[in-house]
Amino acid sequence: MDNYYVLVVDDEKEIRDGIEIYLKNEGVTVLKAKDGIDALEILNEHQVHLIILDIMMPRLDGISATYKIREKKNIPIIILSAKAEDTDKILGLQVGADDYITKPFNPMELVARVKSQLRRYVTFGTYEGINKVIDLNGLTLEKSAKEVTVHGETVKLTPIEYKIVELLMTNAGRVFSINEIYEQVWNEPCYNAENTVAVHIRKIREKIEIDPKNPRYLKVVWGIGYKMEK
Amino acid sequence: MDNYYVLVVDDEKEIRDGIEIYLKNEGVTVLKAKDGIDALEILNEHQVHLIILDIMMPRLDGISATYKIREKKNIPIIILSAKAEDTDKILGLQVGADDYITKPFNPMELVARVKSQLRRYVTFGTYEGINKVIDLNGLTLEKSAKEVTVHGETVKLTPIEYKIVELLMTNAGRVFSINEIYEQVWNEPCYNAENTVAVHIRKIREKIEIDPKNPRYLKVVWGIGYKMEK
DNA sequence: CATCAAACTTAAGAAATTCTTAAGAATTAT
DNA sequence: ATAATTCTTAAGAATTTCTTAAGTTTGATG
C-alpha cells in the first residue's frame, strides 16, 4: 500500500491521529483535515487516492463535502459516522460515498475497507491523478511508470532518487528542508542523515541537470533546503 | 440501473425473493442461486455484474465461493452474513469481497450499497471489458483467446505466466512491485514469495524475449518492480 | 574587505540490497 | 505413470545506498 495517499477528515484530533497510526502501518501516507473546508483545500494541493470523511463536522459537514468532492474528484470516499441510522447510511451512499462505517468502529475493519477500495479502484491507473504527467520546463514525471525525462530523454533514477524527485516535483516551488525530505522519503525521523540527502541531491543533479554546478531545476535555498523550480 | 444483472446467492428462499423484489424495483435483473456450487454454474452461463453472497450456505460457503469467483471473474461481491463479528468482516474483505453487510439488514441499505458498487464498477470499467487485442511493438495479447504472440508467433504460456503477462500488458508502462504482481495474480497477500515471482518473470522472458538478458518488453525498474514497455 | 563558521558540494569505496539464474523438489494435471 | 507446472533454495552478479572526508561557496562580522 505504499505510494497511496489517504485524506482523513474528522474534527476530533484523537480520531484523526488514531486512524493515521493504523494506516501508516500499512504503508499508506496520511493527510489530515479537521473539516470539509480544509479537506477541499488539501484536495486542491495534494494528490489523494481515497478520503475518509466524518459526517458531523463544523463548517462543512460530511454529506455536503461529499457532494463538493464528487464535483471535482472521482476518488473513493468512505464515510465515518456516529449515526447508526439506516437512513443516514443510505443517504451517504446515494450522495456518492463508496462505503459507510459507523462509530465506534474496529480500526482493523476500517483498514480492511480502505484496502478493499484501493485494491479495486486505484490499482489500475485508469483514473485521474495516478497517470498524471507533471511537466516543469522540459522535466517530466510520470508516476505510474515511475519515469522521469529531461527534454524527452528518459533519466534512469534509483528508487530513492525517484522518490525525492517525485516529492519535489509534485510540490514544485515549495522548499523542503533536508529533514523534511528525509522524513518524507525514508518515512522515519531524520537523525544525522543530512549528508545522505545531500549526496542523493548530487546524484540527481548529475542525471537531470545539463550543468550540475548551475542547476536549472533542482535549486538550493540557502540555509533552508531544496526545491524544484516551477 | 437497467441492464444490470445481479446474482443473489442465499440458501433461504425468503431472503432471495425479498432481495429480488427490492432490486427489481430499481430496474436490476436478478438471478438467484441457493448455494456456491449453483452460483458458479450460473456465472459460467450468464453475464453477471455483481454478486450478493451469503456466508453460511451448504455445500460451498461464501468465503470459499468468493475465492473461486475471484479466480474467474473480477466483478463486485457483497457478502451477506448473520455474523456481526469484526474478524469475519475483515476476513471477508481480505478474501476479495468489496462490501460486507450483516443480517438483519435494511433492504434499502443493501440497495444503496449495490448501487454504489455498480456505479463504481461502470465508471472505472474494471469489469471484463470488450475483448480488445493489445499490441505493444509486436507483442500482442488477445484476452478472449488467452493468447500471446511475438511477431505473429504464438507463445505458449502457462496459466500463471499468462496472468502476469495480462496484468502487465493491460497496464503497459505502469510499474508493478513484486508484491502487487503477487497479490493481483495469486489473489492473496504476498508473504515471502518475492522470488517466486522473479522465477516466473525469468520464464516469461525466456519465451517472449529474443534476448532474455536484454529484455525489450518486460523490463525491470530497479528497486521497484517490473513493467511492460509501452 | 579579510576572516570565519556554517552550509553546501563532491568523490570514492565499503556495505547492503535487489535481481538473475539454475537446478531440483513438490505439486498438479493428463 | 508421465508430463507439465509451480515453488523453493541458493549462489553469484549487478545495483543501490550509505559513510567518510575533503573541498567549495555563502553570509555574517569586525
Side-chain angles (χ1 to χ4, degrees), chain B residues 90-145:
Chain B
I90 294 164
L91 178 62
L93 294 168
Q94 273 176 356
V95 155
D98 294 281
D99 206 343
Y100 193 112
I101 302 177
T102 50
K103 295 183 193 174
F105 58 89
N106 178 333
M108 295 308 288
E109 184 190 339
L110 177 63
V111 167
R113 287 191 184 264
V114 167
K115 287 170 83 170
S116 169
Q117 289 291 341
L118 287 176
R119 190 172 51 217
R120 269 285 179 228
Y121 180 62
V122 172
T123 37
F124 282 103
T126 34
Y127 67 103
E128 346 273 303
I130 307 103
N131 288 306
K132 262 192 291 190
V133 176
I134 299 170
D135 185 338
L136 306 170
N137 309 303
L139 180 69
T140 73
L141 172 79
E142 192 178 344
K143 289 192 188 186
S144 60

Side-chain angles (χ1 to χ4, degrees), chain A residues 181-196:
Chain A
I181 293 174
Y182 193 90
E183 277 162 23
Q184 288 288 324
V185 171
W186 277 261
N187 242 317
E188 58 186 60
C190 174
Y191 176 68
N192 270 7
E194 285 77 11
N195 202 42
T196 302

Side-chain angles (χ1 to χ4, degrees), chain B residues 12-133:
Chain B
E12 292 176 66
K13 188 173 186 310
E14 306 82 60
I15 301 259
R16 291 199 299 272
D17 294 347
I19 293 175
E20 182 180 21
I21 291 167
Y22 281 94
L23 289 178
K24 269 197 170 162
N25 193 38
E26 299 288 328
V28 169
T29 307
V30 177
L31 303 169
K32 293 177 283 186
K34 66 177 195 308
D35 59 39
I37 307 272
D38 285 10
L40 287 171
E41 263 178 41
I42 290 175
L43 282 177
N44 277 333
E45 292 158 14
H46 294 84
Q47 184 194 18
V48 173
H49 298 111
L50 183 145
I51 303 180
I52 298 170
L53 198 59
D54 188 28
I55 283 226
M56 299 281 276
M57 286 183 301
R59 298 214 288 171
L60 186 63
D61 71 287
I63 296 285
S64 314
T66 304
Y67 264 121
K68 300 228 177 225
I69 291 164
R70 273 279 170 278
E71 280 173 18
K72 305 195 208 179
K73 302 255 179 181
N74 200 20
I75 57 180
I77 299 175
I78 299 179
I79 287 185
L80 203 60
S81 160
K83 296 184 186 177
E85 292 298 318
D86 290 332
T87 49
D88 292 316
K89 281 195 200 176
I90 294 164
L91 178 62
L93 294 168
Q94 273 176 356
V95 155
D98 294 281
D99 206 343
Y100 193 112
I101 302 177
T102 50
K103 295 183 193 174
F105 58 89
N106 178 333
M108 295 308 288
E109 184 190 339
L110 177 63
V111 167
R113 287 191 184 264
V114 167
K115 287 170 83 170
S116 169
Q117 289 291 341
L118 287 176
R119 190 172 51 217
R120 269 285 179 228
Y121 180 62
V122 172
T123 37
F124 282 103
T126 34
Y127 67 103
E128 346 273 303
I130 307 103
N131 288 306
K132 262 192 291 190
V133 176

